[in-house]
Amino acid sequence: MFPLKDAKLGAFTFFASALPHDVCGSNGLPLTPNSIRILGRFQILKAIAHPTLCQYVDISRGKHERLVVVTEHYEKSLEDLLKERKPTSPGRVLQTAFEVLEGLEYMNKYRMVHRALAPHNILLDCENHVKLAKFGLYHMTGYGADVDFPIGYASYLAPEVIAEGLVKPSDHTQSERFLPSGPKADVWSLGVILFELCVGRKLLQNLGISERLRFILNLGKLYVPMCCVDDIKTVMAEEHGCCEIIKELPRDVLTLLGKCFTYHPSKRPSPAELLHDELFSEVSGLYKPYCKPVSLFSSSLRCADLIIPEDLGTLCEEYLLERSIAEVYYLWCLAGGDLEKELTNKGIIRSKPPICTLSNFILEDGESFGQGRDRSFLLDDTTVTLPLCQLRNRLKDVAGEAFYPLLEDEQSNMSPSNSNHDLSASATLPLIIRERDTEYQLHRIILFDRLLKAYPYKKIQIWKEARVDIPPLVRGLAWAALLGVEGDIQAKYEGIDKDTPIPTDRQIEVDIPRCHQYDELLSSPEGHGKFRRVLKAWVVSHPDLVYWQGLDSLCAPFLYLNFNNEALAYACMSAFIPKYLYNFFLKDNSHVIQEYLTVFSQMIAFHDPELSNHLNEIGFIPDLYAIPWFLTMFTHVFPLHKIFHLWDTLLLGNSSFPFCIGVAILQQLRVRLLDNGFNECILLFSDLPEIDIERCVRESINLFCWTPKSATYRQHAQPPKAPGDGNGATRSSYYSSDYQDMPKTDLSRESIKLNELKAEVSPRISAEDLIDLCELSGSSNMKLLNKKSKSGKPKILAVDIRNNEEFNRGHINGSINISYNSAFSTDGELIQCAATSMLQSFRGRVIVVMGNVIKSTAEFAAHLVKLSYPRVCILDGGINKMKPTGLLTVPSPQI
């Protein structure tokens, strides 16, 4: 998207036609409102950027099918030239024609036609270059079918457009649309505009609309075998008394007008054909061919065509104007911008008391009398300029250096964030406040924009900054970077067969209309089509996996953020599933799901034993509520705006982080769960209460930091990545990677059968995890940490349950000995002694139970959980795993 520079932000509004309330579609569901259809089609317009086209920025729905469109805007247009009533020079006419044709040709590549070409829609920038406005109106309205006003202006309509007339389907349930206008209709409109510029006046102004249309249609009568095509412009000149001016025009201009005024569209050149005609041979040399910028994920070198400006004075004095149009509009909204307020202030939106809209007389069949047609439901051609004064005032104290931050300097050694230090106070505020802070978002957007342009080289810095927060405006690209998406994703996506019918097509068709349908964008027919293609691409490209219900919900966040880039949505989804949902979509996934739920149950017991005991007692197991949580990574549970904040953090964690999110959700519902029985819990989860997502994220991170890495080991998790196959973001945290990615040694966790895993209440941890957490490095430095280390590792206490004799033969230095046989009384309470007193004093820290027999160890841990001891785990392999390490110590003999 181009920088704002001398452009303005403009807004115009119109109404979509209302649909009857008593009609349903072929699927039995209510008809999709036309405003939502328009909103869906509009999205592609935001991705169309060309020097001769006004950039579309945003669209919003209001009441009663009102739509407000935000676009790049300029105050000056060809209409102003015509008001001077002076003929335009032939050279200027040819240049204008060439620039308009460039824009039309580029539009046609996206299968779009302007259809509303008129002098007031051909804007001029400060250098008098053409900018086509409202070029997407015909496309977004479904070729005019979804609005009650015609697209186009009577004087400029091509004969074939008039001949077809304004045809709209009477049956709203039918998907067939009438034949749209072709690109050649715009060539005729251009011919009329060029003719007006040549003679310095507007055509057919003395005729009414019906007479104008009749006049244009009657031009076809000139096409008899003995006549030439020049007759039309001659008739036009005679009608307006300007034959002498036309005769004095250069040959190339006359040729151009003649080709534009070819009556039959089959013989009329298209914009592309006319643009490459010899008559533009001299003009074309004045323009450089437009090259579309290389996308972030491409096989091409992004800096291949990089040009450093020789004169920095060409940059705007106001740094804000060097930012993209989308950024400026986003900041304008944050600074308090209100579209409807601006349109109301200019008199574009007028409110009318409901009593004044009633008809005086209504027949039984619904025909009404006594009330004139409300003209507010027609298109208002006025484009209102959005003032930037409020935004400038908010950013007046931002230094120029903030717009060009240094990403590398001697003092930036692994700092938490490269953001301006003056914003450190803002960084501590709640996320919802930071996302609405104009100045803070400006800094974050600029920083992420710089980092993402340097992706993948700046991958580590992107990870660092994402830990602070991710600006909503760049979330889609930031997520792709965090997921390690690279390469020519577009070519890969296009190479997948998305058209051939497959067995899952029917299930996809059933699921899509039910997926996040509260969202206007995803509920649009355009959104449904994109859902269908992305989901089908994933199914086809993963033949070893199958489509499960919930995959559509998993796709939704990626599609929403990359609505105009299906390839990127597909690539993100394809990178996300193996990391967090490995083998969840196998045809027989029961063993994967059961292992996952068992580990989750152990995590509940590890972090909240009281809640775990209660849920187990009433039989409310994770199988009853947690499968849709994990199968969709909570997208089936939370609305999209909450998922965005949740996944901002999820993508920074390893594959065990979802367990912590699940526990955090349960802890928010803890009081109600402890007070209720089985039936009440089922009802509670059938309509999940409001969850504070920011609190959920904070608590998930805390739980994650307290969980030893090997405690969430799963034998069905993603296998270790090959060397050099990681995402390259080497992070210094203890939890930087998955446990499965660590090199396997004799001290690693061993796989056990699922029934054995289910029999254990507490999770196991590996011997290497114990050594790492206790920082055991040799006989000269054997110690047990009683406080958190600098790397953020949790506090830990080792409990050896062997008898005293075995304990004295060798044990972990700093561990305590509580013999299993004499630890508990008949009623299950701990028998008081010095060791159990120490255990109680360590309550709340990670307690690692170890012994010779794993069954006894598991039972001892289960007893502690029954007594509501949190963070209890078992040493996998018992004390025997530690013997070969040489880290066991023998107490000195008493003399």
Side-chain angles (χ1 to χ4, degrees):
M1 193 173 280
F2 300 113
L4 186 64
K5 289 191 178 290
D6 63 310
K8 311 286 185 185
L9 285 173
F12 66 92
T13 183
F14 61 92
F15 282 90
S17 55
L19 294 175
H21 299 290
D22 56 347
V23 179
C24 290
S26 57
N27 58 2
L29 298 174
L31 295 173
T32 302
N34 282 329
S35 56
I36 287 183
R37 291 178 177 273
I38 293 171
L39 183 141
R41 295 191 205 99
F42 170 87
Q43 302 306 313
I44 189 60
L45 297 172
K46 296 195 291 187
I48 300 178
H50 189 273
T52 61
L53 300 176
C54 284
Q55 180 71 53
Y56 279 94
V57 183
D58 192 27
I59 188 170
S60 63
R61 286 179 74 221
K63 296 179 180 178
H64 311 300
E65 295 292 86
R66 178 185 289 280
L67 291 151
V68 181
V69 177
V70 181
T71 179
E72 178 185 1
H73 182 59
Y74 297 86
E75 302 287 353
K76 189 177 178 183
S77 70
L78 289 185
E79 185 86 12
D80 299 315
L81 291 182
L82 292 174
K83 287 178 180 177
E84 296 175 3
R85 301 189 65 81
K86 296 178 182 178
T88 305
S89 67
R92 176 76 184 277
V93 169
L94 286 175
Q95 287 184 21
T96 299
F98 186 83
E99 291 178 7
V100 171
L101 288 169
E102 275 193 317
L104 294 177
E105 181 200 33
Y106 194 77
M107 285 170 50
N108 297 160
K109 291 178 180 177
Y110 289 86
R111 299 181 180 180
M112 291 185 192
V113 177
H114 197 301
R115 247 292 285 272
L117 210 56
H120 64 274
N121 283 338
I122 302 178
L123 309 183
L124 302 173
D125 64 14
C126 62
E127 297 177 351
N128 284 325
H129 290 304
V130 161
K131 290 280 188 177
L132 298 184
K134 294 189 173 70
F135 67 86
L137 190 60
Y138 188 56
H139 167 78
M140 74 173 86
T141 58
Y143 312 123
D146 294 338
V147 289
D148 290 329
F149 54 85
I151 307 295
Y153 306 92
S155 301
Y156 305 96
L157 291 177
E160 65 271 18
V161 174
I162 300 172
E164 288 173 1
L166 181 63
V167 182
K168 294 184 69 172
S170 56
D171 186 354
H172 296 283
T173 64
Q174 291 181 353
S175 59
E176 298 90 30
R177 296 289 179 169
F178 51 89
L179 189 65
S181 300
K184 295 181 179 181
D186 290 334
V187 174
W188 176 280
S189 303
L190 175 62
V192 178
I193 295 167
L194 296 178
F195 191 96
E196 291 180 338
L197 290 175
C198 290
V199 301
R201 70 179 73 171
K202 301 192 78 172
L203 302 183
L204 308 178
Q205 294 302 296
N206 58 336
L207 300 177
I209 291 179
S210 58
E211 286 79 9
R212 294 183 199 181
L213 300 178
R214 191 177 297 110
F215 176 85
I216 295 171
L217 284 176
N218 288 336
L219 292 174
K221 296 178 180 178
L222 300 174
Y223 274 84
V224 292
M226 299 302 294
C227 292
C228 64
V229 295
D230 289 343
D231 284 337
I232 289 183
K233 64 175 179 291
T234 303
V235 171
M236 290 278 200
E238 291 175 351
E239 177 72 19
H240 295 84
C242 51
C243 292
E244 294 301 320
I245 299 176
I246 293 299
K247 289 179 181 178
E248 293 175 2
L249 291 175
R251 179 175 295 276
D252 50 2
V253 176
L254 289 171
T255 303
L256 175 60
L257 290 175
K259 292 189 174 187
C260 290
F261 281 142
T262 304
Y263 189 86
H264 292 291
S266 60
K267 298 178 181 178
R268 193 186 311 146
S270 68
E273 293 168 344
L274 198 53
L275 186 66
H276 299 96
D277 196 283
E278 290 183 359
L279 61 91
F280 288 115
S281 57
E282 294 184 11
V283 175
S284 61
L286 302 175
Y287 300 90
K288 291 182 180 179
Y290 173 67
C291 295
K292 188 177 180 180
V294 179
S295 64
L296 184 61
F297 304 101
S298 168
S299 58
S300 304
L301 189 64
R302 296 203 298 271
C303 59
D305 299 317
L306 184 65
I307 300 175
I308 306 296
E310 296 180 2
D311 181 14
L312 294 178
T314 57
L315 298 175
C316 297
E317 294 182 6
E318 189 176 354
Y319 300 113
L320 179 65
L321 303 184
E322 289 293 333
R323 304 309 303 172
S324 75
I325 298 170
E327 282 181 31
V328 175
Y329 173 69
Y330 180 75
L331 295 170
W332 180 82
C333 293
L334 290 179
D338 187 330
L339 288 175
E340 291 205 7
K341 180 182 176 183
E342 296 297 334
L343 292 169
T344 302
N345 290 342
K346 296 292 184 181
I348 306 299
I349 295 179
R350 299 185 183 92
S351 59
K352 183 185 289 187
I355 192 70
C356 297
T357 63
L358 296 177
S359 301
N360 295 337
F361 186 66
I362 303 177
L363 294 181
E364 214 174 297
D365 61 0
E367 189 175 358
S368 60
F369 300 90
Q371 199 49 271
R373 186 177 184 183
D374 189 353
R375 297 191 60 81
S376 67
F377 279 83
L378 302 178
L379 172 70
D380 192 315
D381 248 348
T382 307
T383 300
V384 174
T385 302
L386 304 179
L388 298 180
C389 51
Q390 192 169 350
L391 174 59
R392 288 189 174 102
N393 187 53
R394 288 292 300 270
L395 302 178
K396 63 183 178 183
D397 296 327
V398 177
E401 293 82 1
F403 289 86
Y404 304 96
L406 289 175
L407 301 184
E408 301 282 353
D409 61 42
E410 295 177 357
Q411 299 179 354
S412 67
N413 187 19
M414 292 302 288
S415 61
S417 171
N418 285 323
S419 296
N420 193 316
H421 293 296
D422 295 337
L423 298 175
S424 56
S426 297
T428 61
L429 294 172
L431 181 60
I432 193 169
I433 295 177
R434 278 180 275 154
E435 288 189 347
R436 295 175 183 175
D437 186 317
T438 310
E439 186 177 346
Y440 181 82
Q441 283 300 307
L442 171 69
H443 285 83
R444 299 296 291 167
I445 289 168
I446 291 172
L447 179 59
F448 265 86
D449 180 54
R450 294 285 301 278
L451 290 172
L452 288 167
K453 283 177 179 175
Y455 177 80
Y457 176 66
K458 290 293 182 185
K459 192 180 293 186
I460 295 175
Q461 285 88 338
I462 293 172
W463 273 88
K464 281 172 54 184
E465 292 299 334
R467 288 198 196 110
V468 180
D469 57 44
I470 298 176
L473 191 65
V474 299
R475 183 173 275 129
L477 292 177
W479 280 12
L482 295 178
L483 287 166
V485 175
E486 291 183 30
D488 193 353
I489 58 174
Q490 189 64 40
K492 182 177 180 180
Y493 183 70
E494 289 175 354
I496 300 171
D497 180 8
K498 299 179 282 292
D499 300 317
T500 304
I502 57 175
T504 56
D505 284 350
R506 173 62 183 160
Q507 187 61 51
I508 291 174
E509 289 292 339
V510 170
D511 287 348
I512 287 174
R514 302 183 297 196
C515 181
H516 293 284
Q517 289 308 290
Y518 58 85
D519 183 79
E520 297 172 346
L521 191 57
L522 296 182
S523 66
S524 66
E526 201 75 18
H528 288 183
K530 290 177 180 291
F531 256 131
R532 195 177 300 111
R533 289 190 293 273
V534 173
L535 288 171
K536 192 165 181 177
W538 187 88
V539 172
V540 170
S541 60
H542 295 82
D544 53 326
L545 304 175
V546 297
Y547 178 87
W548 280 84
Q549 271 189 313
L551 194 63
D552 52 328
S553 296
L554 202 60
C555 173
F558 297 120
L559 182 60
Y560 182 92
L561 294 175
N562 304 289
F563 199 79
N564 285 323
N565 194 340
E566 292 177 29
L568 186 54
Y570 162 80
C572 288
M573 184 176 164
S574 298
F576 181 91
I577 289 176
K579 180 177 181 180
Y580 296 100
L581 295 166
Y582 185 74
N583 277 348
F584 266 59
F585 296 97
L586 287 172
K587 188 172 184 179
D588 180 12
N589 63 358
S590 58
H591 58 292
V592 180
I593 297 284
Q594 284 301 311
E595 183 192 40
Y596 202 94
L597 294 177
T598 303
V599 174
F600 177 56
S601 183
Q602 291 180 347
M603 283 296 100
I604 301 171
F606 182 81
H607 290 292
D608 197 335
E610 184 183 0
L611 181 60
S612 173
N613 293 334
H614 174 71
L615 295 180
N616 288 334
E617 285 173 9
I618 64 174
F620 193 64
I621 57 176
D623 306 54
L624 299 174
Y625 61 89
I627 292 177
W629 288 9
F630 298 123
L631 195 63
T632 67
M633 275 300 123
F634 308 98
T635 54
H636 191 70
V637 184
F638 298 127
L640 282 174
H641 69 277
K642 290 189 175 183
I643 286 297
F644 293 149
H645 289 169
L646 187 65
W647 280 20
D648 281 350
T649 305
L650 172 67
L651 295 176
L652 295 170
N654 59 34
S655 63
S656 65
F657 191 73
F659 294 125
C660 301
I661 296 173
V663 175
I665 294 172
L666 291 178
Q667 288 188 331
Q668 280 203 40
L669 304 172
R670 189 175 192 274
V671 174
R672 297 177 68 173
L673 289 172
L674 290 174
D675 289 341
N676 290 325
F678 178 83
N679 292 335
E680 292 82 359
C681 288
I682 289 289
L683 290 173
L684 181 68
F685 277 77
S686 64
D687 186 15
L688 197 67
E690 184 73 15
I691 297 294
D692 183 343
I693 207 68
E694 302 311 318
R695 177 185 161 192
C696 180
V697 169
R698 287 195 309 270
E699 292 178 353
S700 299
I701 294 171
N702 182 54
L703 295 169
F704 188 62
C705 292
W706 272 105
T707 308
K709 186 184 294 187
S710 58
T712 55
Y713 167 78
R714 292 177 295 116
Q715 60 177 317
H716 295 299
Q718 187 179 17
K721 300 181 181 69
D725 194 31
N727 60 16
T730 54
R731 300 173 293 284
S732 57
S733 166
Y734 165 69
Y735 298 98
S736 59
S737 60
D738 276 305
Y739 179 72
Q740 282 80 6
D741 291 337
M742 298 177 65
K744 194 162 180 69
T745 67
D746 292 337
L747 301 178
S748 300
R749 269 195 64 172
E750 301 290 341
S751 299
I752 60 174
K753 294 180 180 178
L754 182 60
N755 59 344
E756 293 178 20
L757 185 67
K758 286 185 173 184
E760 296 174 1
V761 176
S762 297
R764 299 186 182 195
I765 71 166
S766 65
E768 59 192 354
D769 228 353
L770 178 67
I771 293 170
D772 192 21
L773 292 172
C774 294
E775 295 193 348
L776 299 173
S777 57
S779 58
S780 61
N781 185 26
M782 294 183 186
K783 60 180 179 178
L784 188 67
L785 287 187
N786 291 336
K787 59 181 180 180
K788 281 194 177 182
S789 65
K790 291 181 180 179
S791 61
K793 298 172 186 176
K795 307 168 187 178
I796 190 167
L797 172 69
V799 179
D800 195 323
I801 65 167
R802 295 175 296 163
N803 60 46
N804 188 258
E805 183 181 346
E806 291 178 318
F807 179 78
N808 287 331
R809 289 177 188 163
H811 57 266
I812 297 291
N813 190 34
S815 62
I816 62 172
N817 179 222
I818 305 177
S819 177
Y820 172 69
N821 295 326
S822 59
F824 299 97
S825 63
T826 54
D827 58 357
E829 295 293 329
L830 276 170
I831 297 174
Q832 290 299 314
C833 63
T836 55
S837 297
M838 188 174 184
L839 175 62
Q840 289 171 353
S841 68
F842 269 73
R843 193 183 189 112
R845 303 181 185 184
V846 175
I847 298 171
V848 184
V849 182
M850 60 186 71
N852 283 332
V853 183
I854 196 67
K855 183 178 179 182
S856 301
T857 310
E859 290 176 356
F860 187 96
H863 275 297
L864 292 181
V865 171
K866 279 289 182 185
L867 296 173
S868 297
Y869 273 81
R871 303 186 178 119
V872 178
C873 54
I874 306 165
L875 179 62
D876 182 57
I879 200 70
N880 293 328
K881 270 280 183 83
M882 298 297 296
K883 288 179 179 178
T885 65
L887 295 175
L888 299 184
T889 183
V890 178
S892 301
Q894 297 293 328
I895 300 176

